[in-house]
Every structure is written in structure tokens, then in C-alpha cells.
Amino acid sequence: MGSLFLLSLLLLLVADNPGGGSPRGRNSEERVQGSSPPTPSGTSAPFWIGISPELVAVPPGSSVWLNCSNNCPLPEGSRLYTQLQRGKTLSGPGWVYYQLLNVRAWSSDVYCSVTCAGKTLTATARINTYKRPHSVVLEPPVLEGNEYTLRCHVTHVFPVGLLVVTLRSGDKVIYSESLERYTDLHLANVTLTHVLRARPCNLWQPVTCHARLSLDGLVVRSNSAPVMLTPGEVPL
Ligand SMILES: *[C@@H]1O[C@H](CO)[C@@H](O)[C@H](O)[C@H]1NC(C)=O
Ligand SMILES: *[C@@H]1O[C@H](CO)[C@@H](O)[C@H](O)[C@H]1NC(C)=O
């Protein structure tokens, strides 16, 4: 009991000197406490704050709801820091539900902060956007000499930096390329060209092109229709 009393006294002392600075700066210190598991309710439970979901990926133009919750019996203030357009706000005991509209930025961090007995905690959520390819098209292979040229078009995809394009022959990976060096933040068309030596084992195999967007906690896949590698006019 004595130590609990001391703790609340310390909290009151801290309350007299609420830290300044940006929510971003505070967040780095307080994240550990903010994300610690909630203790059973009771006035003596340490103050915690949470945001849900912490990470979400949505198509551009979507709206997103974030639930900022805390265990403060008498919160003095609850704020959301974001550059995104705000929509509705709903609230209940221990939570505030914020709507964000027309999310188009590739990646946005949103901060929710709550002040309880003078102590302020901040929780962070990250909202990413993506656009599934409009189409994945593998051109009919062109045989020249003893090489096939395979060309795969991935259209209207975003973000290209999180895209991996893979060519498969049957179940076998022929070629795979990660486009992480492309940091452009616009919808883009991507054409992948690969030259394949014509070998008997490749013939009459269906070849497909696979586009995979790897977002945090979400994988979006699109495949082309298969094309056949045929011997053409050149005997092997
Ligand atoms: C927000 O989260 C709290 C705590 O998990 C929950 O009780 C509440 O129902 C949630 N609100 C909404 C609108 O989902
Ligand atoms: C991407 O490809 C589509 C369809 O082929 C075309 O209509 C569009 O103009 C292209 N966009 C860019 C940015 O090249």
C-alpha cells in the first residue's frame, strides 16, 4: 500500500510538469508504456493508451476508422494529430473512434494522445495506401535465335517499391525481380523483360507472370493468363 501511495504521489508530481514537445518526439519515449498490456481495471492500474489498428493498408481514397482507447477514469483531453482529412468522431467510456477521409498519402503516421492526471501518453498508427494492378499481361513470347523474350506488363500499380514481379514456368520460378529501388509515389506501369534460353524442358510449359504487392501484414497478388512456349520455326 505504501508503495502504491508513493506511485500516485509521483504521478501527481509529474502532473505539475507535463512535458512539451511534438507528439512525434514524445511518442518514441512513451511507446513502450503505451503498448504494454492493459492491467486489470482499478484506479491503481498504470495509465495506458492504445490505438487500433496500429497498421493498416487501404486502396487510395478510402476512409479509415481508428480506435484510440485508454484506461483513464477521468481523461483530461484526447487529441488526434494527423495531416489527413478528418471525418466523424464517436466516443464512449475509455475510447474515441476517429474517422479519416480520402486517404491518399502513401504512408501517414497518425498520433493519438490522452492526458490523465496530468500525464500524457501517445499511441501511433500507420496508414499505408496501395493499388492492386489494373492488369497483369504476359505478351506472347518472341523467339529469336535460341532465346525467348518474355515481356510482362503490370499496369496502374502502387506503390511500385513494394512490388515483386515473378515469371514462372509451371511451378518453377524462371525469374523474379523486386522493384524496391523505385521510390516514386505515383501510380505506375511496369514492364519486366526477361530473356530465356530455349531449352527442351521449357517447351510446352505454361508461363505466367505474377505481381505481388507486399504491404505490412497484407499481400496482394495478381497473375497473368498463361502463355505457352512453343518451338516456333527454329528447330532445337
Ligand atoms: C474501441 O475500443 C474499445 C476498447 O477496446 C472498445 O470497448 C470499443 O467498443 C471500441 N469502439 C468501437 C467503436 O469499436
Ligand atoms: C499505363 O498503361 C495504360 C494501359 O496500357 C495506359 O492507358 C496508361 O496511359 C499508362 N500510364 C502511364 C503512366 O504510362
Side-chain angles (χ1 to χ4, degrees), residues 114-213:
V114 174
T115 303
C116 187
K119 183 176 168 69
T120 301
L121 291 183
T122 303
T124 309
R126 175 163 293 180
I127 304 175
N128 294 336
T129 54
Y130 73 91
K131 166 82 176 50
R132 173 188 285 279
H134 175 68
S135 63
V136 181
V137 176
L138 185 57
E139 280 182 15
V142 177
L143 181 63
E144 257 182 286
N146 67 341
E147 287 176 337
Y148 291 104
T149 300
L150 298 170
R151 202 165 271 129
C152 177
H153 302 282
V154 181
T155 64
H156 287 198
V157 62
F158 181 80
V160 177
L162 298 181
L163 184 69
V164 176
V165 183
T166 304
L167 293 171
R168 289 171 185 269
S169 163
D171 288 340
K172 212 176 66 198
V173 172
I174 303 175
Y175 182 71
S176 187
E177 186 164 341
S178 160
L179 301 168
E180 61 201 0
R181 63 187 179 279
Y182 294 96
T183 52
D184 190 36
L185 296 182
H186 292 101
L187 274 183
N189 290 341
V190 173
T191 298
L192 180 95
T193 304
H194 180 65
V195 175
L196 181 69
R197 177 104 45 89
R199 279 183 292 177
C201 63
N202 292 328
L203 286 179
W204 307 114
Q205 286 287 332
V207 176
T208 44
C209 179
H210 301 248
R212 191 181 81 223
L213 272 178

Side-chain angles (χ1 to χ4, degrees), residues 48-52 65-72 75 78 89-98 112 114:
W48 59 264
I49 180 173
I51 195 163
S52 173
W65 285 93
L66 294 176
N67 188 343
C68 181
S69 55
N70 68 85
N71 70 338
C72 183
S78 171
T89 302
L90 307 175
S91 61
W95 56 268
V96 185
Y97 206 35
Y98 296 99
C112 159
V114 174

